[in-house]
Amino acid sequence: MASLTIKLPDNQKDEIEAVAERKNYNSVSEYVREALRNKVEEDLVLRPEVAEKLRRRVKEYEKGKTGLVSHEELEEELKQLDED
């Protein structure tokens, strides 16, 4: 298993240790691994509005209403969703 070193403010470290103990984790590492796993899964899931935007784009393309869109153009459109 690989290791990763991070720096945290003392109070955050204390909070993590307290939660890990309160929730009966065998170790702080076990708690942090699970928290990171959950966060990565959450970040990998498409938000509904992003999925809908992509579905619309595919339908428009299939119907010939729009041409191919560059990665940069699509990225810019998706960024605008974050700003709205």
Side-chain angles (χ1 to χ4, degrees):
M1 185 179 294
S3 66
L4 175 69
T5 303
I6 61 170
K7 294 184 181 202
L8 300 170
D10 290 339
N11 64 326
Q12 191 174 29
K13 178 184 172 282
D14 295 342
E15 289 171 352
I16 290 169
E17 290 172 339
V19 172
E21 184 177 336
R22 187 176 74 242
K23 293 190 166 213
N24 296 317
Y25 281 87
N26 292 326
S27 67
V28 173
S29 291
E30 183 183 333
Y31 173 74
V32 171
R33 276 193 301 274
E34 183 174 316
L36 288 172
R37 219 176 3 258
N38 292 341
K39 179 62 177 153
V40 168
E41 285 177 13
E42 175 187 311
D43 288 351
L44 290 175
V45 173
L46 280 181
R47 293 188 335 256
E49 64 272 18
V50 172
E52 180 58 30
K53 177 81 167 177
L54 293 173
R55 270 194 291 278
R56 272 188 271 132
R57 278 304 215 151
V58 169
K59 284 182 183 177
E60 289 173 2
Y61 176 76
E62 289 173 343
K63 292 179 180 178
K65 293 182 179 179
T66 185
L68 290 177
V69 177
S70 73
H71 179 270
E72 291 79 18
E73 290 172 308
L74 186 57
E75 209 169 56
E76 186 59 37
E77 285 184 35
L78 296 177
K79 227 185 275 183
Q80 289 174 3
L81 284 176
D82 284 337
E83 294 170 0
D84 292 342

